Amino acid sequence: MDLIAALQFLNLNQVSPDWVDAVWDLEFTERKPLDHVVEDELCAGGEKPFRDLYLHLLQHAADQQQSAGRDGASQGVWVMLGENGLSVKSLVAVLSYFVLTAKAKGANVQQRVCGLYAASVYLLLLGIPGSIANKVFHEVLLDTCSDLTSHCWPQESGRKRKKDGLKSSQADSKRSKPQWRDAPEMEMDEEEEEEELHFSGQELMKIRDAVAVLLQSLLHLLQTFPLKDRPQSASNCTQIFSKLLYFEPVLGELTFAAPRDLCQLKSVPEMAFYGLKLLCSPRHGEQKESLRRVFHRLLYVILMMNKAHSGKPSLLVPSQAILTTRDQAVHFVCHLVEELKELALPFLQILLQHICFQMVEKSEYRNHGAQAVGMLTCQLASVDYAHFIKWLYKFSAHSKMVHRLFSVDVVMVLLTQPERSVEECQDLELARFLPHKFLIQDLLFARRMDESPTVQGHALSCLAQCLELPSLNVTRAVHNLFSATGTQTVLEEELTTGSSSSQKTYRTLPFRTVELSSADSSSCEAKENLALLLRRVRDSKTNVRKAALQALVGLLKHGVIPTTWENLETLAERSRDPAVSVKKKALQCLAELLAAKPECIVVQKAWLHAVVPAVVDSENSVQDKALEVLDQLLLSQVKPYCEQRHLDRSEKLTWDLLGLLCNECQNLSRYFSRAFTIWSKQNKFSPTFISNLISHTETEHAAGAWLLLSKVVSSVTRVPYAKILDAWDSMVRSPSVNVTNCCHILSVVGDIAAHLNEDTKDRIVADLMSWLKTFSLSLEVISASMQTLYQLGSSDDIKHTQAFLNQHCGELVSVCEAYLASIILSENGTQNLNEDLMIKHLHTLGVASLHCPAKVGKRTVLLVESVLTSHSEKLAGCQEDLPASLPLSQFRENSLPTRIKAHGVIALGKLCLQHEELVQKYLPVFARELEVGTEVAVRNNIVVIMCDLCVRYTNIVDHYVPNISACLRDDEAVIREQTLIMLTNLLQEEFVKWKGSLFFRFMMALVDPVPAIASLCEYCLLHRLLKKNPEMFSQHFIECIFHFNSYNKHKSYNKFPQSEREKVRFSLKGAQHREKRFRIYRFLLEHFTDAQRFNTTNKISQTILACFADEELPLDADGAEILSETFNVLSLKELKLQAILAPAGGAGGEEPEEENVATMTKVVLQVAQKKVVSQVQKKAFIENTVPLIISLKNLLEQKRSPVLKDLMGYLQVTMQDYRNEVKEFFTGDEQLAAEVEFALKTAEKERELQEQLESCSLTPGAQTPTAKRLDPKSPAKRPLLPFNFATPQPPRPSPASSRLTLTDRRERPSRQEEQSQFLERTAIVGGVNNRAFSTPKGFNISLTFNEGLSAIFSDQGTSLSGESSVLHMRPNEQPAPGPRRWNVQSPLRQRKTSARV
């Protein structure tokens, strides 16, 4: 009777029977208002009476279950209610009132708690035997009570989820369209939410406890009440439990074992997992269907997505709570598989496939998803694991980029697991999928040639990570890819499979097996693999280059490939990459390699060549990084020298690097000095650092120590001068001197000269002079000595300094002059000539003359000139008053070696630098020598001299710039390269302007026969000169057409003066040079802006086409060539506006995988821009070009010129974009419009015929080799049918065509009725009524489900003629036949036919 007493507060006898009947008639879908008096009485007691009722009913339910199991009596509660006159129908109606009240948006805490308890009471009643007979059960009320938690618990992110759901519906199918009608209601809900009261912590705890009670009641119900005949309720429970997994955090680890008592389950997620486990029992329906349902819901928990009833899933923010729930879901799946064994394994395969197939592009989600796949695959036996790897192998060739990307992530996780033994799999075909070698070589490394740069880069990055794994087999597999020898590298072009798809990332797939089939791809040999990797280092995409760098370093670090200079040079080159991120990556990679192999000299050289030049990088962050690593390795490791102490690894590396800078890497000295200039401003060099360096000057590290001292002494105030002077004295007395050390010591002495007293200076000057007069020093030491001599004589008084230089340098000039006279003026002077001694005298004379120009007389100049010519008799006869020099060509050749002449030219150039009259005198000589000279070294040095003179005497040398630029077509490559570099420097500093033929001669270097020179020219133009003058290319483009065809009949173009010899040398006229001309045109056009392309096109029409149309230019042979070339240029795709050509929404044919506002805005703007630009171009074409085209066509027809063919070809190319507007364009010439239309249709017909010829094959399964090269983009693509998880429906026929359904059937189909859907590349092979639709290329997706079990492992093909319900799509290698060809006849033929009639 306690239960009856507990029910008294509900006042069931006072409730109107009419109200009860009305509630039942409404099917519990909406709340029927109660009488106010009754309502007040019901709500007066709060939640305590409900709690008491729940506890009493729970006890009675337990007692009745025991008695029912013991003696079969099961009507105790129902009899008790009847004996006390309490109507079960009224009880259910009143309970529903509280439930629906709690479900309302404005419900307060008490209403929500009471509603939850009322729902709990109803579920307990439903679980008591006899509830069906007593008409307690109602499906709608059951679902409402079960899902009451989602309405009573405050949803913080409810508003965001609604917005996401609303946004998701835009891309959904017809099934989700009704959601649009509810949009105003959604907005009202959001406003209500904003006004929703905030609950205190105590109130939330009340609601939480009531939720736990409701959940326990639902678990009691599932233990006793079967849902076998109520699949919709079972599905709803599955969804409810999956939502509750996120309800609250769980303390400790979950075991998922069945509890003895439900009270042992403390947390809501723990109860939810147990509920999911109960739903998998046979009591609630066919177990396979239950597993499919549960795994499907857990799929989105593992994917960290929020999946509603309809629409595509939305991503959840991966917080710690979400990640914890995901891990628990994975462990729960593993628990189910362990308990249910073979029954659950097929659905585990399906789950794995759908995790892969529904993965999104974001790296964080991919990483967690791959980890989940790895954990789940541990539950698979070797045979099942092999089947999954086989599926993954086909999946890795999917057309969607994100799928290929995720397959790489999965491979990396699987490689961390213990390798499966091949012996565990009896099937030899499957056994090959078990070793890690297959994962690396056939899945991971195969993605190196992926069409997507993102996938390429990711695959290469993962390849580098493989070498860090502890597995020996993984390392060996990578070694096998690159360690083979004897393979010829012939990879000239890369074959990629797959094309970008128009599908979006998030889709709802039926939870069925995803079967894929693709063609096998052949692997490359070892050298080809390395060659491909080196090419990837120079890839056009930034992320690919970075990943390739990481892979290359990994291979070098682990000795997979040899550390040769060729491999390391490729690595070092990337430190000068245009992309800042690649530069930093290259520096980081070289630092890793140096740390791994600090004793390898080649690695040290590569590191220096990368890091040292980076100190002058244009990007400050790269500069800072380079300075930081140089400081760490070269400065911080300098410690005092001690004989008893062995150098540690880092110190040894420091001195090795400094040794290389002193010897093999001296060319980096300029960059190295820049680093010290920066450091000196930061006060990096302390007296301790200087003392440490001094301690190494007499050891084996002397070269490196003097190098650092030569850089830092000038910026330090306190220096131990005595030590330096001792080193100087020792060096002067030494019979043999190291050139590098000597130069550094001379530099240090010069830097400290200001701090020395006069006696010391005089002593050092005397030592220097005696040293220089011996002429035994190398040229480098002579130059360094002259610089030190200058520093020793420098003072604040300029006159005093010049007097010092005139005295000492003048003395050296006199000595050199005397020696030259003894050689040149003597009859037998050249017989026993010491070539090196002669060169040293010439070099000393040139360097000294720069410091004392007043001491250089005519005799000195003529003596140097005589080194190049032979007029010594004039010098002998005129010792005092010597005649002016004549051009070198007027003197006969002397017998001096070329080396001496080359140094003589340099010496003469230095004399000219200080005397303007000598410049005017010798410039014609130098120019003539460039034309007729035969000695390469002499002409090379003349180019250097003339360019140096241009800096100081710009106006004088400007007249001879054409002579210098003529060397760009010199027969010797070294002279062409030197000229290119020198002219680029002059153009950069604006000592030379783009005048005359200079630009066109520069363009000739683009087609230089030596690829290195052509590449250098491209670099100079793009990265040095174009930035300074962005209009440079467009200003000269039209004149290029005339110049390179040697056409000078135009009144404006190609009128600058040129000699006949230069015209011939720089001409590209004729068919044999056509390729070179168009290579130049394309290069220029590729770097035009769209505005420049538009203006250039119009200007070509006005300045070339108009001149021929008006017959200002004759249409002779030369004119026909120019006009033909012009039409071919106008047909180039590089001249088309990129705003029109560029696809909207993504570059490189790869669509963005995720939708967001920024992406959509960008796409909309691109489409609008494309439309506007297209209209402007169309208007300009009609107004400016079409009249000229019509006139030219008539003119060419009159003259029967072959250029007419080029004109029609140009129109055919141009009108491709306006093929439906031909008549509008050519309203003034209907015949031309008809001819253009005919040409377009004929071209289309030929193209279709070519496609059919390429795709034809002898047998259905065979294919021609040409078919493999077919364009992967399908000509007719339509969007995919939507995938839905709605209630299974039978197929609905369509009047036009039978649409293939993608949903399950309500009854279980037989095996003969099993429906398969192969989603591929648009071709129907099956029934007449089947419809084709666009899908990923290169594989099949088979979504099958039969008798609740997926046909996962069916590898055999399906009959193409047996089932009309099967939609088969051919792989990429077997393209579909094109559409029907147009039956087009020539307009002329049509006229003839009509005339006959």
Side-chain angles (χ1 to χ4, degrees):
M1 297 301 292
D2 293 338
L3 176 60
I4 301 301
L7 284 169
Q8 293 301 320
F9 82 98
L10 293 176
N11 297 328
L12 296 179
N13 294 327
Q14 298 180 18
V15 177
S16 169
D18 295 336
W19 179 85
V20 173
D21 292 338
V23 170
W24 279 85
D25 290 341
L26 289 171
E27 298 280 349
F28 305 102
T29 55
E30 59 180 88
R31 186 179 59 167
K32 180 73 175 174
L34 262 174
D35 182 75
H36 292 297
V37 177
V38 177
E39 183 179 4
D40 292 340
E41 291 178 0
L42 288 176
C43 301
E47 70 268 12
K48 187 176 184 304
F50 272 107
R51 193 182 306 114
D52 295 338
L53 174 61
Y54 169 78
L55 294 174
H56 284 94
L57 186 60
L58 182 64
Q59 182 61 41
H60 276 274
D63 295 342
Q64 191 162 337
Q65 284 288 343
Q66 292 177 2
S67 62
R70 187 170 54 251
D71 53 15
S74 59
Q75 296 294 320
V77 172
W78 313 116
V79 172
M80 191 184 304
L81 291 175
E83 290 175 351
N84 288 274
L86 298 177
S87 170
V88 174
K89 188 175 182 180
S90 299
L91 175 60
V92 172
V94 172
L95 291 175
S96 72
Y97 174 79
F98 284 97
V99 170
L100 293 174
T101 301
K103 186 180 177 181
K105 279 289 181 184
N108 56 33
V109 175
Q110 180 177 334
Q111 289 171 333
R112 297 186 185 208
V113 173
C114 291
L116 289 168
Y117 275 108
S120 303
V121 170
Y122 174 76
L123 293 178
L124 284 180
L125 284 173
L126 199 58
I128 297 175
S131 60
I132 301 293
N134 287 276
K135 299 182 180 180
V136 175
F137 176 77
H138 193 283
E139 190 169 1
V140 173
L141 186 56
L142 171 62
D143 293 340
T144 303
C145 292
S146 302
D147 196 29
L148 192 59
T149 301
S150 62
H151 300 283
C152 292
W153 184 255
Q155 299 292 333
E156 296 178 1
S157 58
R159 189 178 313 145
K160 181 177 183 298
R161 285 179 182 162
K162 284 187 177 64
K163 288 181 180 178
D164 288 343
L166 195 61
K167 177 183 170 186
S168 302
S169 65
Q170 297 176 18
D172 259 345
S173 60
K174 292 181 179 179
R175 205 176 287 268
S176 62
K177 282 187 177 177
Q179 208 164 359
W180 281 99
R181 303 191 197 110
D182 299 335
E185 185 180 345
M186 288 277 194
E187 294 173 3
M188 292 175 61
D189 290 345
E190 290 177 14
E191 293 175 3
E192 290 176 7
E193 280 183 356
E194 291 176 1
E195 299 174 2
E196 186 178 2
L197 296 174
H198 292 283
F199 299 109
S200 65
Q202 187 176 3
E203 291 171 336
L204 288 174
M205 283 302 300
K206 282 185 178 181
I207 299 175
R208 186 265 170 205
D209 292 340
V211 168
V213 169
L214 174 62
L215 203 51
Q216 286 182 358
S217 302
L218 184 56
L219 294 179
H220 278 293
L221 176 68
L222 292 177
Q223 287 178 336
T224 58
F225 188 83
L227 299 178
K228 190 170 185 178
D229 298 326
R230 298 171 179 83
Q232 188 60 45
S233 296
S235 179
N236 290 340
C237 288
T238 305
Q239 185 174 357
I240 292 166
F241 285 134
S242 64
K243 286 182 180 179
L244 291 173
L245 298 178
Y246 301 105
F247 189 84
E248 63 186 3
V250 180
L251 300 178
E253 293 187 6
L254 296 178
T255 59
F256 308 114
R260 295 182 180 178
D261 187 358
L262 292 178
C263 296
Q264 295 177 357
L265 302 176
K266 301 299 182 183
S267 66
V268 172
E270 198 171 0
M271 299 178 193
F273 277 120
Y274 183 60
L276 290 173
K277 186 175 180 179
L278 288 175
L279 288 171
C280 293
S281 63
R283 171 191 297 272
H284 301 296
E286 209 272 329
Q287 254 186 309
K288 294 176 181 177
E289 181 63 24
S290 300
L291 280 169
R292 186 191 72 83
R293 204 161 38 223
V294 170
F295 277 30
H296 174 216
R297 294 307 310 179
L298 292 176
L299 166 67
Y300 296 104
V301 178
I302 296 173
L303 290 174
M304 295 185 290
M305 292 180 176
N306 178 37
K307 178 66 176 69
H309 290 285
S310 62
K312 67 182 183 182
S314 59
L315 292 177
L316 298 173
V317 179
S319 61
Q320 186 58 46
I322 298 295
L323 293 174
T324 302
T325 304
R326 181 198 70 93
D327 293 338
Q328 292 169 353
V330 173
H331 289 298
F332 178 69
V333 171
C334 296
H335 171 75
L336 286 180
V337 174
E338 288 177 359
E339 282 203 348
L340 301 177
K341 304 297 181 183
E342 297 299 327
L343 192 63
L345 282 176
F347 299 97
L348 178 59
Q349 288 275 8
I350 298 176
L351 179 64
L352 288 169
Q353 293 170 3
H354 279 262
I355 290 174
C356 297
F357 216 79
Q358 300 194 49
M359 184 50 61
V360 298
E361 187 182 354
K362 292 184 177 180
S363 59
E364 188 172 7
Y365 291 85
R366 287 191 288 105
N367 292 337
H368 292 300
Q371 292 294 335
V373 171
M375 294 173 65
L376 294 173
T377 52
C378 293
Q379 304 299 316
L380 296 175
S382 293
V383 175
D384 298 329
Y385 177 83
H387 276 289
F388 173 71
I389 299 301
K390 183 178 180 180
W391 182 92
L392 184 67
Y393 171 60
K394 298 171 185 177
F395 176 77
S396 67
H398 195 281
S399 66
K400 284 195 74 174
M401 182 271 287
V402 63
H403 293 165
R404 304 193 302 275
L405 195 64
F406 185 63
S407 67
V408 175
D409 293 314
V410 173
V411 167
M412 288 306 297
V413 172
L414 296 179
L415 288 174
T416 61
Q417 299 177 358
E419 188 171 17
R420 307 267 181 150
S421 174
V422 179
E423 299 172 356
E424 297 176 9
C425 184
Q426 302 299 323
D427 189 339
L428 295 179
E429 183 182 354
L430 289 176
R432 75 185 187 96
F433 296 102
L434 293 177
H436 283 166
K437 179 180 178 180
F438 178 83
L439 294 176
I440 292 176
Q441 298 185 357
D442 292 80
L443 269 82
L444 176 60
F445 196 62
R447 292 300 101 211
R448 77 204 181 281
M449 298 173 68
D450 196 276
E451 65 177 1
S452 166
T454 305
V455 180
Q456 286 181 17
H458 191 48
L460 292 173
S461 297
C462 291
L463 183 68
Q465 297 172 23
C466 288
L467 293 166
E468 306 293 339
L469 297 176
S471 172
L472 183 61
N473 288 339
V474 171
T475 308
R476 186 182 294 115
V478 178
H479 274 264
N480 291 340
L481 289 171
F482 295 94
S483 61
T485 57
T487 305
Q488 187 69 24
T489 303
V490 293
L491 281 179
E492 295 299 331
E493 58 184 53
E494 300 166 18
L495 301 176
T496 58
T497 58
S499 65
S500 55
S501 170
S502 61
Q503 304 172 50
K504 297 301 175 189
T505 302
Y506 316 122
R507 292 183 296 129
T508 303
L509 292 173
F511 194 69
R512 299 182 175 187
T513 304
V514 183
E515 292 189 358
L516 310 174
S517 64
S518 67
D520 294 334
S521 59
S522 59
S523 59
C524 298
E525 297 296 336
K527 286 190 176 180
E528 293 174 338
N529 291 338
L530 179 57
L532 178 63
L533 179 60
L534 294 177
R535 282 209 305 280
R536 286 287 179 262
V537 174
R538 301 180 179 90
D539 194 88
S540 60
K541 298 295 183 180
T542 300
N543 63 321
V544 176
R545 297 200 297 275
K546 290 166 63 178
L549 285 173
Q550 189 65 51
L552 185 60
V553 166
L555 297 176
L556 290 167
K557 278 170 58 178
H558 294 86
V560 179
I561 59 176
T563 51
T564 60
W565 177 246
E566 290 75 16
N567 294 336
L568 292 169
E569 187 180 28
T570 304
L571 196 59
E573 282 177 357
R574 290 304 101 201
S575 64
R576 295 176 287 281
D577 194 275
V580 175
S581 60
V582 179
K583 292 179 187 178
K584 294 181 178 179
K585 186 66 176 179
L587 296 177
Q588 176 191 340
C589 290
L590 280 165
E592 291 179 14
L593 188 58
L594 186 64
K597 297 191 172 186
E599 297 178 357
C600 181
I601 296 178
V602 187
V603 174
Q604 295 172 1
K605 286 176 62 178
W607 184 84
L608 288 172
H609 277 89
V611 176
V612 177
V615 300
V616 296
D617 194 89
S618 57
E619 178 64 31
N620 290 334
S621 59
V622 178
Q623 280 189 23
D624 296 340
K625 183 66 178 176
L627 290 169
E628 179 186 346
V629 295
L630 283 172
D631 185 12
Q632 291 174 355
L633 288 183
L634 297 185
L635 302 186
S636 302
Q637 299 302 323
V638 176
K639 299 174 183 177
Y641 178 76
C642 180
E643 292 184 4
Q644 289 77 23
R645 184 175 64 86
H646 291 286
L647 297 179
D648 59 24
R649 192 176 182 181
S650 56
E651 284 183 89
K652 187 177 184 306
L653 176 60
T654 296
W655 293 111
D656 288 345
L657 293 172
L658 290 172
L660 285 173
L661 286 170
C662 293
N663 299 301
E664 300 177 43
C665 301
Q666 290 186 48
N667 58 329
L668 301 175
S669 176
R670 184 182 306 174
Y671 307 112
F672 200 44
S673 300
R674 172 64 178 166
F676 283 91
T677 303
I678 299 172
W679 284 330
S680 63
K681 297 176 182 177
Q682 302 171 355
N683 297 322
K684 280 269 185 187
F685 314 120
S686 63
T688 304
F689 177 72
I690 302 298
S691 301
N692 293 344
L693 286 176
I694 293 291
S695 67
H696 288 273
T697 53
E698 297 180 357
T699 67
E700 67 272 17
H701 309 140
W706 282 114
L707 169 64
L708 291 181
L709 282 171
S710 67
K711 307 295 182 184
V712 304
V713 163
S714 60
S715 57
V716 178
T717 54
R718 296 178 56 188
V719 179
Y721 303 119
K723 293 277 187 180
I724 295 174
L725 294 176
D726 291 343
W728 165 257
D729 293 335
S730 174
M731 182 184 69
V732 171
R733 291 191 299 269
S734 176
S736 60
V737 179
N738 181 279
V739 174
T740 306
N741 282 5
C742 183
C743 292
H744 292 152
I745 293 174
L746 284 167
S747 176
V748 172
V749 171
D751 289 335
I752 67 172
H755 304 285
L756 300 177
N757 56 44
E758 293 300 323
D759 293 339
T760 305
K761 285 184 182 180
D762 292 341
R763 179 169 62 85
I764 296 174
V765 168
D767 291 339
L768 270 178
M769 290 299 295
S770 61
W771 216 18
L772 287 169
K773 289 177 184 178
T774 62
F775 293 97
S776 60
L777 307 176
S778 66
L779 302 184
E780 295 86 354
V781 175
I782 292 173
S783 299
S785 299
M786 295 302 300
Q787 179 63 26
T788 303
L789 186 64
Y790 169 77
Q791 290 175 302
L792 288 166
S794 296
S795 64
D796 296 335
D797 187 356
I798 298 177
K799 293 183 179 179
H800 183 273
T801 302
Q802 191 58 55
F804 174 86
L805 294 174
N806 286 341
Q807 175 188 349
H808 295 91
C809 294
E811 183 180 351
L812 291 173
V813 169
S814 300
V815 173
C816 294
E817 181 182 325
Y819 175 80
L820 292 177
S822 67
I823 298 296
I824 295 173
L825 301 180
S826 173
E827 292 183 3
N828 301 322
T830 59
Q831 288 182 359
N832 298 317
L833 178 65
N834 186 332
E835 187 175 327
D836 289 337
L837 188 59
M838 181 76 168
I839 290 172
K840 289 176 181 177
H841 278 85
L842 285 170
H843 184 74
T844 304
L845 173 61
V847 176
S849 67
L850 293 174
H851 295 293
C852 58
K855 293 297 182 179
V856 178
K858 291 183 179 180
R859 175 184 171 87
T860 307
V861 175
L862 288 175
L863 282 170
V864 176
E865 180 187 313
S866 299
V867 173
L868 307 176
T869 63
S870 179
H871 56 283
S872 57
E873 64 280 355
K874 294 187 178 182
L875 286 169
C878 305
Q879 296 292 330
E880 299 299 331
D881 189 14
L882 296 175
S885 176
L886 295 172
L888 299 180
S889 58
Q890 297 190 20
F891 296 99
R892 61 182 173 85
E893 289 288 326
N894 59 32
S895 57
L896 291 175
T898 301
R899 280 186 65 214
I900 295 178
K901 291 182 182 180
H903 282 86
V905 168
I906 294 294
L908 187 59
K910 291 177 180 176
L911 295 176
C912 292
L913 279 172
Q914 298 288 356
H915 300 85
E916 185 175 344
E917 66 277 6
L918 294 180
V919 176
Q920 295 175 341
K921 175 181 178 181
Y922 285 109
L923 270 178
V925 179
F926 292 150
R928 179 65 178 167
E929 188 69 15
L930 286 179
E931 287 187 22
V932 300
T934 58
E935 294 163 310
V936 177
V938 173
R939 288 190 291 117
N940 182 74
N941 287 353
I942 287 177
V943 171
V944 176
I945 290 168
M946 293 183 75
C947 291
D948 282 348
L949 291 175
C950 187
V951 175
R952 187 156 189 174
Y953 305 105
T954 305
N955 293 332
I956 300 175
V957 183
D958 188 63
H959 178 67
Y960 295 94
V961 169
N963 300 86
I964 300 173
S965 63
C967 294
L968 289 170
R969 292 290 282 176
D970 196 274
D971 295 334
E972 299 294 333
V974 64
I975 295 179
R976 299 199 300 272
E977 183 179 9
Q978 185 75 271
T979 306
L980 183 61
I981 294 171
M982 299 299 291
L983 283 176
T984 300
N985 290 334
L986 293 176
L987 288 164
Q988 263 191 288
E989 301 300 327
E990 296 188 353
F991 292 112
V992 171
K993 304 290 185 183
W994 290 112
K995 295 191 301 184
S997 60
L998 181 58
F999 179 84
F1000 311 103
R1001 296 183 177 185
F1002 234 89
M1003 291 299 104
M1004 292 294 289
L1006 284 172
V1007 291
D1008 194 277
V1010 179
I1013 297 178
S1015 176
L1016 175 63
C1017 177
E1018 185 176 328
Y1019 169 80
C1020 293
L1021 286 168
L1022 295 181
H1023 300 284
R1024 289 291 175 260
L1025 303 175
L1026 186 61
K1027 291 180 179 179
K1028 200 170 188 66
N1029 185 6
E1031 301 294 326
M1032 177 176 68
F1033 287 176
S1034 59
Q1035 288 171 350
H1036 295 88
F1037 180 79
I1038 296 178
E1039 195 159 9
C1040 284
I1041 300 175
F1042 293 101
H1043 179 77
F1044 292 130
N1045 285 281
S1046 301
Y1047 188 85
N1048 53 12
K1049 296 179 183 179
H1050 197 280
K1051 61 182 179 181
S1052 303
Y1053 293 116
N1054 203 24
K1055 293 297 183 182
F1056 39 80
Q1058 288 188 98
S1059 66
E1060 288 301 321
R1061 181 171 178 271
E1062 289 174 338
K1063 286 181 180 179
V1064 173
R1065 176 176 282 194
F1066 287 93
S1067 174
L1068 290 178
K1069 185 177 181 179
Q1072 68 275 20
H1073 296 303
R1074 185 181 187 280
E1075 183 183 350
K1076 291 182 179 180
R1077 295 197 304 272
F1078 276 82
R1079 200 186 312 166
I1080 294 173
Y1081 300 151
R1082 287 190 176 94
F1083 172 81
L1084 295 175
L1085 290 173
E1086 282 172 358
H1087 300 96
F1088 273 24
T1089 63
D1090 270 355
Q1092 291 171 345
R1093 290 187 179 93
F1094 181 80
N1095 293 331
T1096 300
T1097 303
N1098 289 336
K1099 198 171 182 182
I1100 288 175
S1101 299
Q1102 297 164 7
T1103 57
I1104 302 181
L1105 300 184
C1107 289
F1108 282 104
D1110 298 339
E1111 299 191 40
E1112 293 180 13
L1113 294 176
L1115 201 58
D1116 52 12
D1118 291 340
E1121 287 184 8
I1122 286 293
L1123 189 56
S1124 173
E1125 185 116 329
T1126 302
F1127 284 129
N1128 289 325
V1129 168
L1130 288 171
S1131 302
L1132 291 174
K1133 67 176 182 180
E1134 289 81 4
L1135 192 54
K1136 289 193 174 184
L1137 303 186
Q1138 297 304 304
I1140 297 177
L1141 291 178
E1150 209 174 286
E1151 285 199 3
E1153 295 286 345
E1154 298 165 22
E1155 289 185 7
N1156 52 57
V1157 177
T1159 302
M1160 296 304 295
T1161 304
K1162 183 179 179 181
V1163 172
V1164 171
L1165 289 175
Q1166 285 178 347
V1167 172
Q1169 180 190 16
K1170 181 175 180 178
K1171 186 174 181 180
V1172 172
V1173 171
S1174 179
Q1175 291 297 323
V1176 172
Q1177 186 185 36
K1178 175 183 172 182
K1179 181 180 178 182
F1181 182 72
I1182 294 176
E1183 294 178 354
N1184 302 331
T1185 308
V1186 169
L1188 295 174
I1189 292 296
I1190 294 174
S1191 300
L1192 279 172
K1193 178 180 176 293
N1194 295 332
L1195 179 64
L1196 293 172
E1197 284 178 340
Q1198 291 174 10
K1199 295 183 178 290
R1200 296 187 177 182
S1201 172
V1203 183
L1204 186 61
K1205 178 182 178 181
D1206 298 301
L1207 184 148
M1208 295 304 296
Y1210 160 64
L1211 286 180
Q1212 182 179 329
V1213 171
T1214 305
M1215 297 308 296
Q1216 288 287 350
D1217 299 329
Y1218 309 101
R1219 58 188 312 151
N1220 297 324
E1221 305 172 67
V1222 174
K1223 292 182 180 179
E1224 178 187 345
F1225 274 60
F1226 300 101
T1227 53
D1229 192 332
E1230 295 182 1
Q1231 181 183 351
L1232 178 58
E1235 291 177 2
V1236 171
E1237 284 185 330
F1238 176 73
L1240 290 172
K1241 293 173 181 177
T1242 304
E1244 181 183 0
K1245 185 176 180 180
E1246 291 176 354
R1247 185 166 55 251
E1248 292 172 0
L1249 180 61
Q1250 181 65 26
E1251 289 178 358
Q1252 288 184 355
L1253 290 174
E1254 288 180 345
S1255 62
C1256 69
S1257 57
L1258 296 176
T1259 61
Q1263 64 179 30
T1264 60
T1266 56
K1268 294 183 179 179
R1269 298 191 293 270
L1270 195 65
D1271 190 322
K1273 296 182 180 178
S1274 176
K1277 287 204 172 187
R1278 290 181 288 273
L1280 276 174
L1281 287 173
F1283 295 104
N1284 290 288
F1285 279 105
T1287 304
Q1289 299 286 340
R1292 283 179 285 181
S1294 171
S1297 62
S1298 176
R1299 181 182 296 270
L1300 193 64
T1301 61
L1302 303 181
T1303 53
D1304 303 339
R1305 299 180 62 183
R1306 187 174 292 275
E1307 292 83 20
R1308 293 187 306 227
S1310 64
R1311 287 197 179 272
Q1312 288 76 17
E1313 295 171 341
E1314 175 184 349
Q1315 294 194 5
S1316 300
Q1317 300 153 17
F1318 293 89
L1319 309 182
E1320 268 229 6
R1321 240 192 51 131
T1322 62
I1324 294 182
V1325 186
V1328 177
N1329 293 327
N1330 284 342
R1331 185 180 72 84
F1333 51 92
S1334 173
T1335 52
K1337 74 170 187 180
F1339 62 92
N1340 298 329
I1341 311 171
S1342 176
L1343 304 173
T1344 61
F1345 203 90
N1346 184 40
E1347 298 181 351
L1349 176 63
S1350 232
I1352 303 172
F1353 309 132
S1354 59
D1355 296 326
Q1356 60 271 21
T1358 310
S1359 172
L1360 299 184
S1361 59
E1363 297 181 69
S1364 62
S1365 61
V1366 179
L1367 177 63
H1368 295 280
M1369 312 304 281
R1370 292 183 181 138
N1372 185 38
E1373 292 78 2
Q1374 302 176 26
R1380 281 178 54 191
R1381 299 193 300 275
W1382 292 95
N1383 185 13
V1384 180
Q1385 289 186 347
S1386 167
L1388 296 177
R1389 186 175 298 176
Q1390 290 175 1
R1391 290 180 184 176
K1392 292 178 182 178
T1393 305
S1394 59
R1396 290 173 188 166
V1397 175

